[in-house]
Amino acid sequence: MEMSLIARSPAIGRDLFQLRNNYNNTNLMFLSSSATKSQMGFLQTRYPNLHLKVTARSLSHSQPAASTEPSYENTITSPKDGVKLYVGLPMNSVSDCHAINHSRAISAGLRALKLLGVEGVELPIWWGVVEKEAMGKYEWSGYRTLVEMIQKAGLKLHVSLCFHGCKQENIPLPRWVSELGKSEPDIFFADRSGKRYKDCLSFGIDDLPVFDGKTAMNVYQGFAESFKTSFSSFMGSTITGITIGMGPDGELRYPSHQEQNENKVGLGAGEFQCYDKNMMTVLKNHAENHGNPNWGLSGPHDGPNYNQHPISDTFFKENGSWETPYGDFFLSWYSTQLKSHADKILSMAASTFSDTPVIISGKLPLIHSWYKTRSHPAEVAAGFYNTVNKFRYEEIIKLFSKNSCKMIIPGMDLLDERQPSELCSSPEMLLEEIRDGCRRHGVEVCGQNLEIGGTCESFEQIKKNLGGGNGIEVFVYQRMGAEFFSPEKFPLFSSFVRRLNQLEVDSDDHLGGNEKEATVFVPRNNPKLQAAYYRIRSW
């Protein structure tokens, strides 16, 4: 006796055939919801809100296997002119010993994504892993093995060159950089109290030869050139895009919220990050050239603390210092340093990869707290002088256009109605403002979600932002891992992929509710088959 499911999805049909073929018609039990039968999961589990039914039939050995084999020409793919969907691989996919973490789970995950019709995956490549021991000593072996796995799975790859560290995953900057930082702490950003942010380099050393005669930009370029040489055989075929790291968490911004846990923005707007020696030297020279040398002695005396309410009694309050000639002087300088950094690193990336067929992109943050105020304090502290009288995103957008780079914008899953009212936040309005600027200057936008673990509402918001002539060709969903493949989250993502690819679904097909669809494969009487499906849950 074989327990079977008649599924409408060609990918799942193919998967059933492959399982039967590979495991000699091993007995399997397939559970399906009563709503629709076109979604798959990877874990034996219980769904208390589902009405399950099982269809049993006898299968004699004389029955031809071809009767259940779908055509391989029906593989699920994105429409030719539709959105190309990528899924981020785990942040720590490659260890600092150059081994692949969770290799079996990643391999199973790649197969699952391919079956769903996902275009490819995004892989963070860490400076602190590849160039760990000494400047110019690169070790790409772990990442190369992973890229070969991705190629074998038939997926495309978008890589992110990460010139920052990640405390959550315990990924530091290269050891030789951290060692230099002990004697030369001004290679790192500093706040007003002198606290250092040690997960990326200060923009103040972009052009200073602090690394044995090399500048930070020289070091970044050496890394990028080594990557290009080491992965030249994958360029344009497997590797289709490269995102260049631009600052904290890879984003173009100052680390203005460095005291926030897990990068979550609280009530405060953050602090200015201009107090390392090199940044202060630039400020001093700028003030002297401006004819006001006293303005270059320090940052704003009334600048807010990290968690201080920004519009009650600080620099950013109504009629506060931000609206004075000094405020305009400082904020213009502060945002100009960010703009200068963006121009240098985008130009470096564009020139380095100009002879390859890959697309270059950079990531902008979506700093939406306090957006509805006149002073926009959170954005300004991060380097974007986007007050009521300014729109400095436009200047950044022009740099992306100048260097023919795409712009990645996160937060396409966020809704205004889900934000705390006391933050005066509007991710939807800010996203549209930035996108309007990109349209004016011909900059292509790539989307990302911001919150880990999607909900029915967030997937609907993503779909809304990707549709209707918004011109987004690539969306990167963050990120693969135990939560992503959980029985609560993966069915939602699977349905989102089908809807995004405009697959035929029942008229009542929707995300969420008591009739949320799911199909769960439960292997019986075969430890190898059971292990294959449980492997993906080893995170």
Side-chain angles (χ1 to χ4, degrees), residues 217-469:
M217 282 296 157
N218 294 150
V219 171
Y220 298 150
Q221 184 168 11
F223 185 90
E225 289 176 345
S226 178
F227 168 78
K228 182 178 76 169
T229 300
S230 300
F231 291 87
S232 59
S233 61
F234 300 96
M235 295 288 186
S237 54
T238 298
I239 299 174
T240 57
I242 297 171
T243 297
I244 195 74
M246 304 185 77
D249 298 323
E251 299 175 336
L252 178 64
R253 62 178 174 86
Y254 289 95
S256 51
H257 279 95
Q258 59 169 288
E259 282 197 349
Q260 297 291 341
N261 294 326
E262 299 180 357
N263 297 318
K264 292 181 179 178
V265 178
L267 286 176
E271 287 195 16
F272 295 118
Q273 304 291 313
C274 60
Y275 292 91
D276 64 80
K277 177 182 66 177
N278 301 305
M279 289 286 286
M280 290 305 300
T281 297
V282 177
L283 176 60
K284 179 176 180 293
N285 292 336
H286 182 65
E288 290 174 351
N289 293 335
H290 196 271
N292 290 284
N294 289 336
W295 287 0
L297 301 179
S298 180
H301 71 279
D302 56 349
N305 296 323
Y306 289 105
N307 296 307
Q308 185 177 4
H309 196 289
I311 59 175
S312 60
D313 189 26
T314 71
F315 179 89
F316 291 108
K317 67 182 180 181
E318 286 296 312
N319 300 314
S321 299
W322 69 277
E323 295 192 87
T324 65
Y326 165 75
D328 181 63
F329 160 82
F330 174 79
L331 296 180
S332 295
W333 169 82
Y334 189 67
S335 64
T336 297
Q337 301 312 298
L338 185 76
K339 174 186 171 183
S340 176
H341 174 75
D343 192 18
K344 292 169 187 173
I345 202 155
L346 290 176
S347 296
M348 179 274 291
S351 62
T352 300
F353 297 103
S354 61
D355 57 347
T356 70
V358 300
I359 301 299
I360 305 301
S361 59
K363 186 176 179 181
L364 220 64
L366 193 74
I367 305 172
H368 53 84
S369 295
W370 305 105
Y371 180 82
K372 293 180 180 178
T373 65
R374 293 179 63 246
S375 58
H376 292 228
E379 295 165 81
V380 170
F384 299 96
Y385 193 5
N386 194 38
T387 65
V388 67
N389 298 318
K390 306 286 184 180
F391 178 54
R392 290 299 168 90
Y393 289 106
E394 186 124 25
E395 297 182 13
I396 297 294
I397 291 168
K398 289 178 181 178
L399 296 177
F400 278 78
S401 178
K402 166 189 169 184
N403 292 289
S404 302
C405 295
K406 292 188 176 183
M407 179 182 291
I408 297 175
I409 308 177
M412 294 197 172
D413 54 329
L414 302 183
L415 294 93
D416 286 2
E417 63 188 36
R418 301 293 294 272
Q419 308 306 315
S421 59
E422 62 270 22
L423 286 181
C424 300
S425 172
S426 181
E428 295 181 55
M429 291 173 65
L430 176 56
L431 176 60
E432 189 56 32
E433 181 180 13
I434 297 173
R435 287 169 68 166
D436 279 345
C438 288
R439 292 185 191 104
R440 288 194 296 272
H441 296 285
V443 174
E444 293 187 36
V445 170
C446 303
Q448 277 189 8
N449 57 308
L450 192 61
E451 296 182 348
I452 298 175
T455 64
C456 302
E457 293 81 7
S458 65
F459 279 120
E460 288 296 334
Q461 183 68 6
I462 293 172
K463 190 170 181 294
K464 173 185 173 183
N465 278 317
L466 297 182

